[in-house]
Amino acid sequence: MKIIKIFLLVCLSFACHAHGYWFDIKGSGKINALVRIQICYGEIDEFGVSHRGKGAE
């Protein structure tokens, strides 16, 4: 029974896309320089590439 649950969990994880939050930090890269920080929401595809969600969030 335990093996079946683990197998189903692994199969389900490959069948769905992940959604999450991440920080988008932009700046010059110099010490003590101002940066622009955005909190983004979106999904991460099967290649690990983040795509921003669009909508009224």
Side-chain angles (χ1 to χ4, degrees):
M1 186 68 171
K2 200 179 219 183
I3 297 294
I4 294 172
K5 287 181 182 180
I6 293 172
F7 178 74
L8 289 175
L9 182 64
V10 169
C11 290
L12 186 62
S13 67
F14 286 114
C16 58
H17 294 272
H19 285 81
Y21 293 93
W22 66 89
F23 290 107
D24 188 15
I25 304 171
K26 295 182 181 178
S28 65
K30 296 180 181 177
I31 297 176
N32 295 327
L34 294 176
V35 296
R36 181 176 161 204
I37 300 173
Q38 293 180 326
I39 300 174
C40 304
Y41 174 78
E43 67 180 53
I44 301 169
D45 64 10
E46 61 270 7
F47 301 110
V49 178
S50 302
H51 301 280
R52 289 186 182 192
K54 303 215 187 304
E57 289 94 16

